[in-house]
Amino acid sequence: MDMLRALFARNMALPRHHAPVLEEMTLNGIAKYIQSGKGKRILCMVGAGISTSAGIPDFRSPGSGLYHNLQKYNLPHPQAIFEMSYFKMNPQPFFTLAKELYPGEFKPTVSHYFMRFLRDKGLLLRCYTQNIDTLERVAGLTDDNLVEAHGSFHTSHCLGCQKAFPLTWMKEEIFKDNIPVCDECEGLVKPDIIFFGESLPQRFFQCIQTDFSDCDLLIIMGTSLVVQPFSSLTNRVSETTPRLLLNMERSGQTDPIMAALGLGSGMDFDSENAYRDVAWLGKCDDGCLALAELLGWKEEFEALVTAEHSRIDEELTTAKLQGATIGAHHS
Ligand code: CNA
């Protein structure tokens, strides 16, 4: 191996070995890095795994993931539900699924609130999310805090005349089991979530210009890191920026042989050259709590989650009671 490496290094002026940027390659090492004041412009990259504990299935987890449970829609292949050509031909499966996953029916998780907590501490540079459930917003992140890389249900557009429709209208259509149709041109109306093959929002391309070079710590949570171009963002941070993965499985890794040679562009958690990437495997909610505890913030953080969950519970109860009263008046 050393001979091979020497050969590569001689012929390609590669690879460079880096001094470790963390005291230890563990969650504790990340906590110490933040405590030392080095991690104060934190970027979070998140995916469906941060919402599974809210009851929203992800795509790819074996057994519980959406791709394993789409048989009832008789799709030619699972991804067809998010493909424009199939949607135009048969929008029903998408809207049935949209009803199941509809934003507003779920509470943000510990992981969502961890990003809000980092924001409140002045440590969050931005959250890049692949999710379309809008739970980051419910947890209190603002437009400025967020890049919704795959769009969201927030707005919808007619595929024919491009007329915009608000969330309230789309919600009503979805819950009435209607296929939403434009009142101007009778075109199909689709929530502004990005389907396979569609371009990502302008904001994504604008923000990545500076965010990743400005970032001094990258936290990646609940994503298999297989959807491009999102997954390649992990490589945009500087070579000395630590990257923490909180996930059920290792994702975003460089090929082990390439890593051993010091080559490759993914994350390197385990090779002898590993110097900045930490994988903490388990539920990301537990990972966030463990990190908060190491930082001495656990009580304060748990208090935030409890307060926000009670507030949402109260709002839901009030809304249900109002619904029941309105129902009683109408009957
Ligand atoms: P994915 O490919 O389904 O991967 C999810 C990842 O999260 C996997 O690696 C899981 O092991 C991991 N995971 C699941 N639960 C947990 C947990 N509790 N703690 C830690 N890790 C966990 O999903 P990606 O987000 O990577 O794929 C991108 C797709 C999924 C985007 O286009 C999204 O729009 C799409 N999606 C979004 C939602 C949502 O908005 N909540 C739901 C389902 C799919």
Side-chain angles (χ1 to χ4, degrees), residues 46-53 56-61 66 101 130-134 150 222-227 246-249 251 282-285:
V46 299
I50 70 162
S51 292
T52 51
S53 68
I56 306 175
D58 63 8
F59 271 173
R60 295 179 181 82
S61 281
L66 284 173
L101 301 183
Q130 298 169 93
N131 294 348
I132 50 176
D133 55 32
T134 67
H150 295 165
T223 173
S224 57
L225 286 176
V226 296
V227 179
L246 302 177
N247 208 42
M248 297 291 275
E249 55 175 4
S251 57
K283 292 182 179 164
C284 47
D285 288 353

Side-chain angles (χ1 to χ4, degrees), residues 109-123:
T109 66
V110 165
S111 304
H112 291 96
Y113 286 115
F114 189 64
M115 296 190 286
R116 146 88 184 268
F117 190 71
L118 291 177
R119 194 278 312 274
D120 293 351
K121 293 261 173 218
L123 299 174

Side-chain angles (χ1 to χ4, degrees), residues 132-312:
I132 50 176
D133 55 32
T134 67
L135 286 181
E136 296 85 2
R137 287 172 184 272
V138 182
L141 295 190
T142 61
D143 275 347
D144 185 50
N145 299 148
L146 269 173
V147 171
E148 290 168 321
H150 295 165
S152 87
F153 276 90
H154 228 55
T155 51
S156 300
H157 279 88
C158 168
L159 294 183
C161 68
Q162 300 303 315
K163 180 175 173 181
F165 290 84
L167 182 69
T168 42
W169 179 85
M170 179 52 81
K171 180 172 183 179
E172 230 178 277
E173 291 297 294
I174 290 177
F175 278 86
K176 278 193 224 149
D177 294 321
N178 289 345
I179 298 293
V181 170
C182 178
D183 54 358
E184 300 271 332
C185 75
E186 296 192 356
L188 196 54
V189 182
K190 170 185 154 293
D192 293 338
I193 64 165
I194 309 293
F195 278 21
F196 289 109
E198 282 191 293
S199 175
L200 269 55
Q202 258 325 96
R203 179 169 167 75
F204 173 87
F205 296 104
Q206 272 161 7
C207 288
I208 62 171
Q209 294 303 321
T210 49
D211 279 356
F212 286 80
S213 50
D214 287 352
C215 156
D216 50 26
L217 171 62
L218 181 63
I219 300 182
I220 303 149
M221 300 194 276
T223 173
S224 57
L225 286 176
V226 296
V227 179
Q228 291 291 0
F230 191 91
S231 57
S232 62
L233 293 180
T234 58
N235 298 320
R236 289 183 78 100
V237 294
S238 94
E239 287 188 346
T240 51
T241 298
R243 300 180 290 194
L244 167 66
L245 174 75
L246 302 177
N247 208 42
M248 297 291 275
E249 55 175 4
R250 273 163 221 272
S251 57
Q253 286 186 104
T254 194
D255 176 82
I257 296 173
M258 298 297 267
L261 290 170
L263 299 169
S265 60
M267 287 186 283
D268 177 5
F269 305 116
D270 309 301
S271 89
E272 60 182 39
N273 299 323
Y275 70 99
R276 58 151 168 173
D277 295 330
V278 174
W280 185 96
L281 300 185
K283 292 182 179 164
C284 47
D285 288 353
D286 295 341
C288 290
L289 283 169
L291 184 54
E293 183 160 27
L294 289 167
L295 288 163
W297 295 337
K298 192 165 180 231
E299 271 179 32
E300 192 187 344
F301 175 50
E302 282 180 331
L304 170 77
V305 178
T306 310
E308 286 297 305
H309 277 174
S310 324
R311 188 182 58 75
I312 294 174

